[in-house]
Structure formats: C-alpha cells, structure tokens
Amino acid sequence: MTQTAALLGMYAAALALSFAGCTSHTSSAPGGKKSFGTVDGKEVFLYTLRNAHGMEARITNYGGIIVSLIVPDKNGKPGDIVLGYDSLAGYLRTTPYFGAIVGRYANRIGKARFSLNGKEYALAANDGTNTLHGGLKAFDKVVWTVDETYAPAEPSLALTYVSKDGEEGFPGTLKVRVVYTVTDSNALRIEYFATSDAPTVLNLTNHSYFNLADSGRTAVLGHELLLDAGRFTPIDAGLIPTGEMRSVAGTPLDFRTSSQIGARIEAKDEQLLLARGYDHNWIIDRTGNGLVRAARVAEPKSGRVMEVWTTEPGIQFYTGNFLDGTITGKNGVAYQRRAAFCLETQHFPDSPNRPEFPTTVLNPGETFTSTTVYSFATQ
Ligand code: BGC
C-alpha cells in the first residue's frame, strides 16, 4: 500500500470515531502504563503505544506530552526523534512546550485580548504584550484524565480535559478530548474533539520538537523540507500576523520543492530577521477541509522520512530559534539552537482578532474536530 492510500484508510477510520467516542473494552494503552510522578497532588502516568513494526510512542497524561517517539531508520535501527526530558521533573522545571498539547489557543493572540460577540476578553500576556500557547497554566501544564474505557484495535491513548469557564481568560466551559494512536502503518495520528457551553475561540496543536537524525545532538539544518503551501502569514516584530496572506514565491519561505532547512535560513530577509529564523504560519494548499499533506521532511543520513497530514488550514514551521543550549534533555543532551524543528498544525495565529482568517470560533451545539497524522517511512 502506498503511504497515501494508507493515510486515506486511516482517515476513514478516524472519521468513524465519534466525540463521545468509544467502544468499551476492558483494557487501555497496549504496551503498558507506569507511574511518571505527581503533579498538583495527582499521580500521572507514562503510557507506551507500540506497533509491530518498531514504532513506539511514550506519552504522559501531564500536558498530553509525547515524551519519546521511536521510529526505525533506513537500517531498521530504532531511534528517538523528539526532544524532551527523561523524567517529569524536567517538564515541571522548564519547557518550551516539548511534545505537549497546546491550547486553548495555540500560538499567539495579539495584545493578549480579543472580542467575541461584542464582549472583550483579557488574557495573560506571557510573551511580551501577547498571549502565547494559551496562557500561564494552559493545556500543556494540566493533568489530563485518561479514558481507560477506550481501547480500539490499534494502540491508542484517549485523554480528556474540562477547561472551566474563564480559565486563562477564555469564555465557556470547554470539554476537550485528544486521542493518540500509533497505527500499523507507522504513523502517529492525533485527533482532537471539543465542545463548549458558550461561544469561545479554540486552536489546538501538538508541540513536538523533531530531529530525525540524532535526537537533538546536532542542528536540523541538513534535513530536507517540503511544505505544501504557496502562501504564508507575514509577521510583525512581536511575531503577530499583519493580516496579509503573502505568496512564498521568490522568498526563503518557499519550500514548495524540497530544500534543506539551512539553505536559506541566514538570508537577509525581513521575515527571517524578525523571527531569528523560521517561525511562521504557512497557509496549506487545499480545497475543502479534508486530510491533506502539509509537509514532508527527509533526513539523508538516517533515511527517515516524515510526512504531516492534517485537516487544519495552517502549519507553523519553527526552527528551534530560541533553544540556546541551556536545556539539558534526554540522555544528557544540551539542546543547542536549531537542534529541532516543529511542524505545528493549526489555525492561523491571532485569528480571533483577524476576521479575514478562517474562524476559530466554537459555538455551543457544535463539535470541534481536527486530525493530524505524522507518518514515517525510510528512503
Ligand atoms: C512559536 C515560537 C515559540 C515556540 C515555543 C512556537 O509555536 O511559534 O515562537 O518560541 O513555539 O514556545
């Protein structure tokens, strides 16, 4: 089966799942569960999802963090391709959102406020004057409930969280469900579902930092990236979109044909200088709102290839510009600048203040759904 056919099959399976979601079986998380420590007085766990082809994800219900993601290289040798910590203590001390679920609003909301139906909502300004990744104690820093009844055929972990009305300034009681699945065709599928009892805004993603070569020991500049995106949303000095949707043609943000991440990253380009590298939202080429490929990354030495498929309209490509060697992660590796890249599927940053962008409003009676698939192969 081709990678595409496999993905389409997976998508059909994904659509078959409902929000309430679940056939009831007695076990969960094939591969096991072990204690990972205590947060806010609650014990949290590390779950292992493993398939028969050498792929394994370890995920904790603290922040829904993907702690490790093991994928074979071209010689069949397994390797961890995400950054993070060996233990919970690291995540509690400091983290640039390693592997976490990000919400209620992934990326930035300008001036830490937005209006909805004529009412203004004030948020925490945790990134200069702006809100980043949902505020001070957002979805990446809370303990999620594990739906132990959810046990489909493929190794999966279903997490739920109820975000209270007013939490981090956002209106509406929001019920969120995130389902991680390691598929038989070496993909990690992430499905998001949400409902709210009052109008609100919502933008969910996962913030994994990938290095397909060496778990973050060296920079990712030699990885070859393709983005299925002809436009991006230019930013200002605060990394807030200006509202323009600009063609990538003739700019270092043009990844419509595969090129090395490092090939143009130091170009004297206004947008790259503002972000100190790549840290932008690309507008995915699409018709309709189904699952489409947004990105492909190939790493020549390991032979690993990752594709990102999503139902979202945008993707944030971030080159770890703010990593600076001060974080020592798994196996004692000090993560230097550009030791990893993120490909965060999302709605566009600052959409609540930009009526011209696809809407992020969720109304009562609606169910928000979103699917992203990270699929792996070798070449
Ligand atoms: C943002 C970056 C930020 C990083 C870690 C990314 O999604 O675009 O600007 O530094 O997350 O917080």
Side-chain angles (χ1 to χ4, degrees), residues 96-97 107-108 132-133 207 209 239 279 316 318 322 344:
Y97 302 87
N107 212 280
R108 292 173 174 82
L132 176 64
H133 294 329
H207 208 305
Y209 284 69
L239 279 70
D279 191 355
Q316 188 83 12
Y318 168 59
F322 299 114
E344 302 152 61

Side-chain angles (χ1 to χ4, degrees), residues 150-295:
Y150 185 69
E154 290 174 314
S156 302
L157 178 68
L159 302 173
T160 63
Y161 178 67
V162 180
S163 174
K164 292 193 181 71
D165 180 27
E167 191 171 295
E168 292 295 325
F170 292 95
T173 306
L174 187 79
K175 293 184 178 169
V176 192
R177 179 179 177 90
V178 177
V179 180
Y180 288 106
T181 303
V182 169
T183 75
D184 205 38
S185 53
N186 275 13
L188 175 68
R189 184 174 66 227
I190 312 177
E191 294 155 286
Y192 305 85
F193 308 88
T195 55
S196 178
D197 67 359
T200 192
V201 295
L202 180 66
N203 189 22
L204 300 175
T205 194
N206 176 274
H207 208 305
S208 286
Y209 284 69
F210 297 98
N211 181 317
L212 303 184
D214 59 13
S215 309
R217 287 180 175 81
T218 61
V220 291
L221 301 179
H223 287 51
E224 290 156 8
L225 172 71
L226 180 145
L227 291 172
D228 297 287
R231 293 180 300 160
F232 72 107
T233 50
I235 49 170
D236 66 16
L239 279 70
I240 302 294
T242 60
E244 188 187 345
M245 293 180 245
R246 188 186 292 173
S247 168
V248 296
T251 78
L253 286 84
D254 189 349
F255 284 95
R256 290 173 296 177
T257 53
S258 186
S259 60
Q260 288 196 347
I261 288 177
R264 296 160 294 170
I265 201 167
E266 300 296 347
K268 298 278 169 274
D269 172 88
E270 178 230 5
Q271 285 294 311
L272 292 186
L273 293 170
L274 285 171
R276 302 182 65 232
Y278 294 105
D279 191 355
H280 297 80
N281 170 65
W282 271 255
I283 302 174
I284 298 165
D285 297 336
R286 62 161 60 251
T287 49
N289 47 19
L291 191 71
V292 295
R293 193 184 70 175

Side-chain angles (χ1 to χ4, degrees), residues 3 212 223-228 255 257-259 261 293-299 303-309 315 341 343 375 377-379:
Q3 208 167 2
L212 303 184
H223 287 51
E224 290 156 8
L225 172 71
L226 180 145
L227 291 172
D228 297 287
F255 284 95
T257 53
S258 186
S259 60
I261 288 177
R293 193 184 70 175
R296 178 183 194 272
V297 188
E299 198 287 305
R304 288 192 184 92
V305 179
M306 178 173 89
E307 288 191 351
V308 185
W309 290 65
I315 188 164
F341 64 88
L343 284 168
S375 82
T378 56
Q379 66 179 24

Side-chain angles (χ1 to χ4, degrees), residues 38-117:
T38 303
V39 184
D40 298 339
K42 296 178 202 150
E43 186 173 19
V44 298
F45 296 91
L46 192 61
Y47 295 83
T48 302
L49 311 182
R50 188 181 296 131
N51 72 9
H53 308 291
M55 184 170 167
E56 178 192 293
R58 289 195 303 153
I59 301 167
T60 175
N61 60 316
Y62 172 64
I65 295 170
I66 300 170
V67 173
S68 66
L69 189 58
I70 312 281
V71 177
D73 70 8
K74 63 184 173 193
N75 300 314
K77 189 168 171 260
D80 189 0
I81 58 149
V82 294
L83 273 52
Y85 293 106
D86 292 311
S87 67
L88 181 67
Y91 293 101
L92 295 177
R93 197 167 48 239
T94 178
T95 172
Y97 302 87
F98 285 144
I101 298 170
V102 180
R104 293 192 188 191
Y105 201 93
N107 212 280
R108 292 173 174 82
I109 295 180
K111 299 196 174 68
R113 59 175 168 72
F114 67 94
S115 295
L116 183 59
N117 300 334

